[in-house]
Amino acid sequence: MSLPHAILTALLEKPSSGLELTRRFDKSIAYFWSATHQQIYRELGRLETEGYIRALPAEQPARGQKKSYEVLPAGRAELARWTAAAQDPKPQRDVLLLRLRAAAVVGTAGLEADLRRHLELHQRQLAEYEEIQQRDFPPGKDAPEDRLRHLVLRAGLDLETFWTQWLTHALEELGELPGTP
């Protein structure tokens, strides 16, 4: 159940309405933890019911006005508990790797084009992460919270670097197999 913790994190960074939270989610947390607009709103309701967040009072009462939320002490305590708890890594599950394994038995038809497509996608994501790093983490930006956020970005950079290198190697291997163009 990490979505509630992702929402608590985002709200502690900045109290927000559901719409603002969804937009901020799309621009940051969604790189490593995705959620739909509906999931976020459903979770906001649950977090409010559990006493972890509250809707901020509106400056002027108005019908249809968006609610902004803030984290309550119980929500901060829950996030701190969850952050400190041990968790085992999840086993790797990747459809592309399974398809490569299956190609060993049924042949590689169509695989090269998809490997190239994956390579292009990972190259684009790597370029986006590099742009974010250059924009958001200039030399000297080393407050503790910045360093931790940069570590998260570094994970994305390292993963995309891995995938681009691995896919390049996979395409080279595929090209050397007998019967492939």
Side-chain angles (χ1 to χ4, degrees):
M1 278 240 281
S2 296
L3 179 57
H5 300 100
I7 291 172
L8 288 171
T9 299
L11 288 175
L12 277 170
E13 291 173 342
K14 180 182 176 190
S16 304
S17 70
L19 181 59
E20 293 164 339
L21 184 61
T22 300
R23 288 179 179 153
R24 287 179 43 232
F25 220 87
D26 288 344
K27 292 180 181 176
S28 61
I29 293 173
Y31 285 114
F32 54 90
W33 196 268
S34 62
T36 66
H37 186 76
Q38 293 83 3
Q39 288 172 314
I40 290 172
Y41 273 93
R42 190 171 39 248
E43 199 58 47
L44 283 169
R46 196 176 72 71
L47 289 168
E48 189 173 24
T49 300
E50 291 180 7
Y52 290 153
I53 64 172
R54 74 176 178 119
L56 293 169
E59 291 177 18
Q60 298 175 346
R63 207 174 118 157
Q65 184 175 0
K66 60 184 178 182
K67 290 186 201 178
S68 285
Y69 296 90
E70 71 177 354
V71 177
L72 296 171
R76 182 180 282 276
E78 168 55 22
L79 187 59
R81 181 208 61 76
W82 179 78
T83 301
Q87 186 173 356
D88 292 336
K90 299 287 183 214
Q92 176 70 24
R93 289 178 57 166
D94 191 287
V95 173
L96 181 61
L97 298 177
L98 182 57
R99 289 175 53 224
L100 276 173
R101 181 69 184 246
V105 209
V106 297
T108 61
L111 200 52
E112 181 182 356
D114 202 39
L115 287 173
R116 289 192 188 287
R117 187 180 68 80
H118 276 255
L119 177 58
E120 183 181 315
L121 292 170
H122 286 287
Q123 288 170 330
R124 271 192 267 158
Q125 189 64 65
L126 179 58
E128 186 175 344
Y129 286 162
E130 288 169 340
E131 194 175 294
I132 291 169
Q133 178 174 250
Q134 192 170 31
R135 180 191 69 220
D136 294 350
F137 298 100
K141 189 172 183 179
D142 61 353
E145 60 274 9
D146 292 326
R147 291 175 69 180
L148 291 173
R149 287 181 186 121
H150 194 191
L151 271 176
V152 174
L153 179 60
R154 273 290 349 149
L157 285 161
D158 291 347
L159 283 169
E160 294 305 328
T161 298
F162 161 78
W163 279 112
T164 57
Q165 291 173 348
W166 183 85
L167 285 159
T168 300
H169 177 74
L171 283 163
E172 289 168 1
E173 284 287 323
L174 191 62
E176 293 175 7
L177 295 176
T180 56

